[in-house]
Amino acid sequence: QVRLVESGGGLVQPGGSLRLSCAASRLTFSSYGMSWYRQAPGKERELVAAITTGGEITNYADSVKGRFTISRDNARNTVYLQMNSLKPEDTALYYCKAVALGDGYTYWGQGTQVTVSS
């Protein structure tokens, strides 16, 4: 069964950094566009960053541009989200999403919690 497993979340102080990882199994990773979403309490789930199948194109929410970087390593079936200069408003549950090239079939990870607080 297809699995997406996020890791790397935790508690950090404002201005700190974290790197999230999403490891995929049981899918042809290079055929999937990958993205990160987040959902804070009382808020809608929002797109944070996305990357095309080979890493050719990336896209970011305005709120994280210049601070976050999405990347992927197809040989390791893993997508990353490097988060720098973290702010309290970045606090959320972060989800990994895979979208199949061709038919658009999607998979979601279980989420990893990021809390930015002093």
Side-chain angles (χ1 to χ4, degrees), residues 11-102:
L11 174 64
V12 296
Q13 295 185 1
S17 297
L18 284 174
R19 189 176 79 156
L20 306 184
S21 299
C22 173
S25 62
R26 294 287 186 177
L27 57 73
T28 304
F29 188 73
S30 60
S31 297
Y32 286 77
M34 302 297 297
S35 57
W36 290 93
Y37 285 72
R38 68 186 181 187
Q39 188 165 23
K43 301 290 186 179
E44 296 286 334
R45 188 173 297 188
E46 65 173 346
L47 176 68
V48 177
I51 189 166
T52 51
T53 54
E56 302 92 344
I57 304 171
T58 57
N59 186 38
Y60 299 92
D62 288 342
S63 59
V64 307
K65 286 180 180 176
R67 299 188 299 120
F68 290 12
T69 302
I70 188 171
S71 62
R72 66 190 295 160
D73 186 341
N74 286 352
R76 296 184 176 183
N77 286 7
T78 303
V79 64
Y80 305 95
L81 185 67
Q82 178 67 46
M83 305 185 295
N84 299 325
S85 302
L86 284 161
K87 305 174 180 179
E89 50 264 46
D90 295 318
T91 296
L93 190 63
Y94 284 71
Y95 296 92
C96 177
K97 178 185 178 182
V99 180
L101 185 65

